């Protein structure tokens, strides 16, 4: 069974719980095989937690959830050295970061100090507690959520440095009329989550991570990626464009897109298909620019203006 067939099975399984989100499942899978973290943005009740839990179950991975609140401490996330009175010694208790998929729920409700406790975890895949460094399991990704309608009510906006560490941002929309009707019928008698089947093993995910790196990118497509990135740094409506980390993320995501479509090379269309997920949250608009357009609209205009090369990768 090839990757396309297994991914179809994965979408079918998760579709038992989350209806009509095949594109979202594809993007999360691409993030997973690239060790990329995800920022999910949606109004309450659209299934963000269920989506993350379902993904963990279908890859037989560990899942842990942290509810971010203003009184959450960094040690609640990473862990702590505590004194055990019975043994009369300090013992290490690692926090919920020791998992495969970590759901950081409503991450922007925590203080900047607590948010920053995830920086090492996300970048280095390790946690340091009182000078002792512990490696995290593989694969490991953070799926963070935030509620856009409460962005100014008791929340702390994520700083640009942390936004840049998110591989992609995904916005979950409301289901359509038919999708919500199917959801009602599916959840009427019991929770379909308990009936989810495992599709991938963690070893398979590790193997796929290596295979994705071998997807070929032609010079023309590399130049196309760089042209998009350079334009974000020169655009009149953008104060801060895409970082080199963002350039690499766009490249890897395009490789992932090609891989799940069973191609051995990246096309310009792969780049265009994933660009909004990868780059929009990395842009900081000028004050004048933000009054005219949002990040996605500015990025769309860039994609329309940058010349698309003739597909050349197929010859490799």
């Amino acid at each position: 069974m090839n990757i396309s067939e297994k991914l179809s099975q994965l979408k079918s399984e998760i579709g038992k719980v989350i209806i009509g989100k095949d594109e979202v499942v594809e993007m999360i899978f691409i993030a997973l095989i690239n060790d990329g973290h995800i920022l999910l943005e949606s109004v309450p009740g659209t299934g963000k937690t269920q989506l993350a839990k379902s993904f963990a179950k279908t890859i037989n991975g560990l899942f842990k959830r942290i509810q971010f609140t203003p009184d959450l401490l960094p040690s609640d996330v990473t862990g702590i050295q505590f004194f055990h009175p019975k043994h009369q010694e300090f013992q290490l208790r690692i926090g919920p970061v020791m998992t495969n998929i970590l759901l950081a729920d409503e991450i922007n409700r925590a203080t900047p100090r607590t948010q920053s406790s995830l920086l090492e975890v996300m970048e280095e895949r390790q946690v340091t507690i009182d000078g002792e460094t512990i490696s995290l399991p593989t694969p490991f990704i953070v799926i963070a959520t935030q509620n856009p309608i409460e962005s100014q009510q008791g929340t702390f906006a994520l700083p640009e440095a942390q936004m840049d560490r998110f591989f992609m941002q995904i916005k979950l929309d409301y289901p359509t009329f038919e999708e919500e009707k199917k959801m009602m019928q599916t959840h009427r008698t019991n929770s379909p989550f308990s009936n989810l089947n495992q599709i991938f093993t963690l070893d398979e995910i590790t193997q796929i991570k290596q295979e994705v790196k071998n997807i070929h990118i032609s010079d023309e497509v590399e130049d196309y990626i760089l042209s998009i990135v350079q334009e974000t740094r020169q655009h009149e409506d953008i104060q801060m464009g895409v970082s080199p980390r963002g350039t690499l993320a766009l490249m890897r995501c395009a490789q992932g897109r090609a891989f799940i479509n069973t191609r051995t090379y990246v096309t310009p269309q792969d780049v265009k298909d994933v660009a909004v997920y990868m780059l929009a949250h990395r842009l900081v608009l000028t004050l004048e620019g933000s009054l005219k357009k949002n990040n996605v609209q500015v990025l769309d205009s860039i994609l329309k203006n940058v010349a698309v090369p003739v597909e050349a990768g197929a010859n490799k």
Side-chain angles (χ1 to χ4, degrees), residues 25-292:
V25 172
E26 282 189 9
M27 295 309 297
I28 294 177
F29 184 78
I30 291 172
L32 179 68
I33 61 179
N34 279 287
D35 284 326
H37 309 296
I38 302 163
L39 183 61
L40 280 180
E41 190 170 279
S42 176
V43 295
T46 50
K48 298 183 289 292
T49 301
Q50 285 296 310
L51 177 61
K53 287 177 64 178
S54 298
F55 226 95
K57 190 169 183 179
T58 53
I59 66 169
N60 195 31
L62 295 173
F63 171 83
K64 291 183 182 177
R65 175 181 179 273
I66 306 173
Q67 181 64 53
F68 277 68
T69 56
D71 60 347
L72 190 75
L73 299 174
S75 58
D76 296 327
V77 177
T78 58
I80 193 172
Q81 289 271 8
F82 74 101
F83 185 76
H84 197 296
K86 182 177 180 180
H87 297 99
Q88 290 294 296
E89 63 181 8
F90 282 93
Q91 295 184 359
L92 177 65
R93 178 178 292 168
I94 303 175
V97 294
M98 187 59 67
T99 187
N100 297 119
I101 295 181
L102 176 66
L103 180 66
D105 207 5
E106 297 185 299
I107 188 173
N108 57 334
R109 285 197 175 279
T111 62
R113 180 187 177 199
T114 301
Q115 290 178 12
S116 66
S117 67
L118 281 176
L119 292 179
E120 180 188 15
V121 172
M122 294 171 68
E123 188 69 16
E124 306 295 337
R125 265 94 184 158
Q126 65 183 30
V127 59
T128 302
I129 304 170
D130 289 345
E132 184 174 349
T133 300
I134 303 100
S135 297
L136 299 179
T138 184
F140 170 78
I141 66 169
V142 173
I143 299 179
T145 73
Q146 60 180 7
N147 181 354
I149 66 172
E150 295 180 351
S151 59
Q152 304 299 325
Q153 301 175 21
T155 60
F156 303 86
L158 296 176
E160 282 76 18
Q162 187 154 2
M163 289 292 286
D164 195 41
R165 281 173 169 80
F166 282 103
F167 187 70
M168 65 174 66
Q169 182 181 36
I170 301 175
K171 295 191 177 183
L172 285 180
D173 297 323
Y174 284 119
T176 64
F177 183 92
E178 291 301 324
E179 288 169 353
E180 200 156 5
K181 183 177 180 179
K182 184 177 180 181
M183 181 187 71
M184 292 170 65
Q185 295 168 347
T186 302
H187 289 257
R188 185 178 300 162
T189 54
N190 59 3
S191 172
F193 176 78
S194 57
N195 297 322
L196 287 183
N197 298 310
Q198 177 187 333
I199 304 300
F200 290 93
T201 66
L202 295 181
D203 288 340
E204 285 177 317
I205 297 297
T206 301
Q207 180 182 348
I208 290 172
K209 283 164 56 178
Q210 297 303 315
E211 294 174 1
V212 170
K213 296 176 181 178
N214 296 323
I215 298 297
H216 174 66
I217 303 180
S218 66
D219 287 343
E220 292 83 358
V221 175
E222 285 183 344
D223 291 345
Y224 179 54
I225 291 174
L226 289 171
S227 296
I228 294 171
V229 170
Q230 290 294 324
E231 184 63 25
T232 69
R233 298 170 185 171
Q234 302 165 6
H235 198 282
E236 61 178 5
D237 291 331
I238 299 176
Q239 179 179 333
M240 187 173 72
V242 175
S243 68
R245 183 191 284 121
T247 304
L248 295 177
L250 180 57
M251 176 192 73
R252 289 168 181 152
C253 192
Q255 286 178 298
R257 187 75 165 192
F259 180 80
I260 66 174
N261 285 292
T262 63
R263 272 184 282 105
T264 58
Y265 59 92
V266 174
T267 68
Q269 190 61 48
D270 291 324
V271 178
K272 292 188 73 172
D273 286 344
V274 302
V276 171
Y277 295 107
M278 308 306 299
L279 304 183
H281 66 287
R282 291 183 159 91
L283 304 181
V284 178
L285 303 187
T286 62
L287 178 60
E288 295 81 2
S290 63
L291 295 175
K292 297 183 293 184

